[in-house]
């Protein structure tokens, strides 16, 4: 169980990592080292913020109105969507993006690496409620490394004796200066499902620029993506492995207003570029086997 004192006595690292209460009864890990600072909420195994020491602005965006409450998803950061992405295939009443992002996770280890970065390992706490929605003996684990780059690896273990299929995403919200001057590169020529455009299949021509709600699931792509931010004059590089889909999402004004937790104008300052396995890229995890999807984010100044 996640008790603050126990967590701090077992897993705190002097001068680098400590646990504290946040919001309405949740616990967050606060990490700061020579390279970067970050926060991670134990509910959802949810990286909420990441700011490299050399960056003028955070790289991972968190809404000013993000709700930190039991069972609620947090607007911003890097939600873990698992074991399905988007709406459940058959059960309309099941939570969008799966239950992993709104349930408790437990810390299984912390350490400082030789390069001075900080690592925290977590596992999702299994429960009857999750089993009722997803009746498989599967375990989700997360390994987060906070350094000059941010690395997140999501591992699914199949502890049973039959194969199962998962969908997943690291649904990261990136901080940008202004969505209007932002482009996403790396998906040129890729096929995508246009969720904001009548669920039709399209092919990406050139870089992605934004002029309205954008909600696209790109398939069959393992490419690194780059967010080019003209306002903050920087590039965010998103490298990935074990992921064959990339989701690009921004709600624009009307949808963000309806969602209620973006804050005034918050939607202008974020874009989601999600490393995923969705649609035809859902993954079969073999009996007794495992699958890892991993990302690494870095930021660089634009000359
Ligand atoms: C994206 C989906 O990944 O997440 C969008 O493609 C969805 O359709 C968005 O609106 C946000 O989802 P949620 O459940 O966090 O509001």
């Amino acid at each position: 169980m996640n008790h603050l004192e126990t967590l701090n006595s077992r897993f705190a690292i002097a001068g680098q990592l400590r646990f504290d209460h946040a919001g309405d009864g949740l616990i967050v890990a606060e990490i700061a080292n020579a390279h970067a600072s970050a926060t991670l909420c134990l509910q959802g195994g949810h990286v909420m913020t990441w700011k490299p020491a050399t960056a003028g602005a955070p790289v991972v965006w968190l809404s000013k109105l993000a709700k930190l409450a039991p069972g609620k998803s947090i607007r911003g950061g890097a939600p873990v969507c698992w074991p399905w992405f988007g709406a459940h295939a058959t059960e309309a009443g099941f939570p969008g993006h799966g239950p992993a992002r709104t349930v408790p996770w437990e810390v299984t280890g912390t350490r400082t690496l030789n390069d001075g970065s900080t690592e925290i390992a977590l596992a999702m706490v299994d429960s009857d409620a999750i089993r009722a929605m997803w009746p498989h003996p599967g375990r989700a684990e997360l390994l987060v490394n906070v350094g000059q780059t941010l690395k997140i690896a999501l591992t699914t273990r199949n502890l049973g004796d039959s194969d199962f299929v998962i969908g997943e995403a690291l649904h990261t919200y990136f901080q940008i200066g202004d969505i209007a001057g932002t482009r996403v590169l790396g998906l040129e020529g890729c096929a995508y499902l246009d969720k904001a455009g009548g669920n039709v299949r399209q092919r990406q021509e050139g870089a992605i620029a934004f002029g309205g709600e954008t909600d696209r699931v790109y398939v069959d792509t393992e490419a690194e993506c780059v967010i080019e931010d003209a306002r903050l004059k920087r590039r965010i590089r998103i490298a990935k492995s074990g992921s064959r889909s990339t989701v690009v999402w921004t709600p624009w004004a009307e949808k963000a207003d309806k969602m209620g937790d973006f804050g005034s104008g918050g939607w202008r300052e974020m874009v989601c570029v999600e490393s995923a396995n969705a649609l035809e890229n859902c993954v079969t995890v073999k009996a007794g086997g495992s699958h890892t999807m991993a990302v690494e984010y870095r930021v660089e100044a634009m000359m």
Side-chain angles (χ1 to χ4, degrees):
M1 276 304 290
N2 292 324
H3 291 299
L4 195 60
E5 279 159 34
T6 316
L7 282 165
N8 273 318
S9 71
R10 288 188 63 196
F11 296 115
I13 303 174
Q16 276 204 5
L17 188 157
R18 61 187 289 277
F19 297 90
D20 208 346
H21 288 297
D24 184 8
L26 301 188
I27 293 179
V28 295
E30 294 170 345
I31 299 165
N33 55 42
H35 303 301
S37 57
T39 51
L40 181 150
C41 186
L42 299 195
Q43 176 171 283
H46 193 132
V47 173
M48 298 196 301
T49 60
W50 174 59
K51 181 181 174 298
T54 51
V59 175
V60 171
W61 177 87
L62 180 68
S63 171
K64 291 184 179 66
L65 295 190
K67 293 184 196 86
L68 295 184
K72 302 276 179 227
S73 57
I74 299 168
R75 183 65 62 201
V80 175
C81 305
W82 188 94
W84 61 86
F85 173 80
H88 188 274
T90 55
E91 300 293 332
F94 286 4
H97 292 327
R101 63 177 175 164
T102 53
V103 300
W105 288 56
E106 62 189 1
V107 180
T108 55
T110 56
R111 64 180 181 139
T112 305
L113 274 62
N114 287 340
D115 64 3
S117 63
T118 311
E119 188 177 271
I120 178 166
L122 302 108
M124 193 183 72
V125 178
D126 205 356
S127 70
D128 291 345
I130 295 171
R131 286 293 165 95
M133 289 186 272
W134 195 70
H136 302 286
R139 181 176 158 91
E141 297 172 0
L142 205 63
L143 191 61
V144 177
N145 179 275
V146 176
Q148 272 175 0
T149 68
L150 176 68
K151 296 180 204 154
I152 308 176
L154 173 62
T155 295
T156 304
R157 293 190 196 284
N158 185 337
L159 308 173
D161 49 18
S162 48
D163 301 354
F164 59 64
V165 175
I166 56 159
E168 57 185 345
L170 291 166
H171 186 314
T172 309
Y173 291 69
F174 292 98
Q175 173 87 48
I176 51 173
D178 187 351
I179 188 74
T182 296
R183 302 196 309 160
V184 175
L185 298 96
L187 296 165
E188 300 80 7
C190 289
Y192 66 90
L193 177 73
D194 191 356
K195 288 171 72 179
N199 278 315
V200 292
R201 292 272 179 158
Q202 304 273 20
R203 189 162 294 276
Q204 181 64 38
E205 306 283 345
I208 304 168
F210 301 92
E213 183 189 353
T214 304
D215 191 356
R216 301 177 181 173
V217 184
Y218 291 84
V219 292
D220 301 333
T221 174
E222 293 171 60
E224 174 176 303
C225 284
V226 177
I227 299 172
E228 212 177 66
D229 182 338
R231 174 71 65 90
L232 295 182
K233 295 190 173 50
R234 68 184 190 180
R235 287 190 191 88
I236 300 170
R237 290 192 179 276
I238 300 154
K240 62 176 189 168
S241 61
S243 155
R244 297 201 24 88
S245 314
T246 297
V247 181
V248 177
W249 179 64
T250 182
W252 221 252
E254 198 181 326
K255 187 162 184 194
D257 283 351
K258 278 196 199 126
M259 292 172 104
D261 55 1
F262 270 86
S264 168
W267 62 275
R268 296 203 78 96
E269 297 175 352
M270 54 65 61
V271 64
C272 288
V273 178
E274 310 167 32
S275 300
N277 287 302
L279 303 176
E280 58 263 47
N281 298 139
C282 283
V283 173
T284 300
V285 186
K286 296 274 181 209
S290 70
H291 160 78
T292 297
M293 177 174 77
V295 296
E296 181 169 16
Y297 307 140
R298 68 178 71 238
V299 65
E300 62 191 33
M302 228 155 76
M303 297 301 155

